[in-house]
Amino acid sequence: MRSYAETAPAGPLRAVVEVSWRAHAGTAPHVQRVLPDGCMDLLLSGGRAVVAGPDTTAHLAGSPAGGVTTGLRFRPGALPALLGIPADALRDRRVPLADVLDPGRRRLLRPTPADDGDGDTAWLARLALALQAAAVDDRTPAPLPRPALRALAGGMPAAELADRLGVTGRTLHRRCVATLGYGPAVARRVLRFRAAAALLYDGVPPAAVAARTGYADQPHLSREVRALAGVSPGALPVAARPGS
């Protein structure tokens, strides 16, 4: 049977990581519909570390029978500064971590979990802490503060948000692209969709979801869910919820 579990991070990782997660494909191959959520993940599968870049549409991730994937889901905008690479360079991509890190930091990938006998989750956590310690602060801008992300998810116009942050609209756009992988307009769509998807998973009727998350009406919600998830709001809980 397929299984999926999430665990809250502990210690210093809580500042940059939302959850650690582990997915087991079960006795048959499985394809998971991964939705855009404004986050980036570090994945470990078969002893191979991969960066999952920010998505702008659903990504179909396949696992063989018995396959296990472990991941750390980073808070929106947090991972690019640790990797020293702008988020837009990884948009809609899955890239081996060794190809992303500069040569001086590839040593952090040794030993592998198989070499040291430790669990995948513990290895990923140690790797993330090491990346934190070795981060080069001036390579990418700081992620947007959480209130700014919530404002975008709530539909705040980019110009108003830029004023609130005390920056120009162009600076806000560059900061969003470098840390989230796309500009404020796409970030607004993705973050609002994430909030709507969480409500749909919980069984809230689409009309109520549309009203609570700032869509003009239920047809507007339906169009956005189909564009970003590739399924209807009614099908989303079954087609895309982790573990489904």
Side-chain angles (χ1 to χ4, degrees):
M1 179 180 294
R2 172 171 163 76
S3 63
Y4 175 87
E6 294 184 352
T7 305
L13 284 182
R14 286 180 295 184
V16 294
V17 173
E18 288 193 352
V19 296
S20 63
W21 55 268
R22 184 177 179 86
H24 190 291
T27 58
H30 179 78
V31 176
Q32 178 65 39
R33 186 177 296 268
V34 180
L35 303 181
D37 58 6
C39 299
M40 294 173 59
D41 288 43
L42 283 181
L43 313 177
L44 189 65
S45 182
R48 183 170 176 258
V50 173
V51 181
D55 291 324
T56 58
T57 188
H59 171 80
L60 300 180
S63 297
V68 176
T69 303
T70 306
L72 294 180
R73 182 171 306 123
F74 285 76
R75 297 187 183 279
L79 187 53
L82 274 60
L83 299 177
I85 185 171
D88 61 312
L90 301 169
R91 184 172 55 232
D92 294 319
R93 300 175 64 198
R94 270 59 179 164
V95 182
L97 181 57
D99 293 349
V100 173
L101 296 178
D102 58 68
R105 293 194 297 163
R106 288 177 193 157
R107 59 180 174 78
L108 300 177
L109 299 176
R110 297 293 177 180
T112 67
D115 295 332
D116 65 13
D118 203 351
D120 290 358
T121 301
W123 185 86
L124 274 177
R126 287 204 311 275
L127 173 62
L129 288 170
L131 289 171
Q132 260 188 307
V136 181
D137 292 338
D138 61 355
R139 293 192 181 187
T140 56
L144 293 177
R146 291 179 202 175
L149 293 169
R150 288 194 294 269
L152 273 178
M156 180 176 288
E160 183 179 344
L161 180 59
D163 286 342
R164 180 172 295 189
L165 294 173
V167 299
T168 66
R170 182 170 295 182
T171 296
L172 175 63
H173 188 274
R174 286 198 301 264
R175 190 169 171 184
C176 284
V177 169
T179 60
L180 297 174
Y182 28 66
V186 175
R188 186 184 304 111
R189 291 181 65 204
V190 168
L191 294 172
R192 180 167 55 183
F193 164 75
R194 184 185 192 190
L199 294 174
L200 290 168
Y201 291 156
D202 288 343
V204 178
V209 172
R212 289 171 60 177
T213 51
Y215 290 93
D217 50 28
Q218 185 174 340
H220 182 202
L221 169 70
S222 295
R223 291 193 299 272
E224 285 292 274
V225 171
R226 288 185 181 278
L228 293 169
V231 296
S232 69
L236 187 68
V238 174
R241 186 166 195 163
S244 62

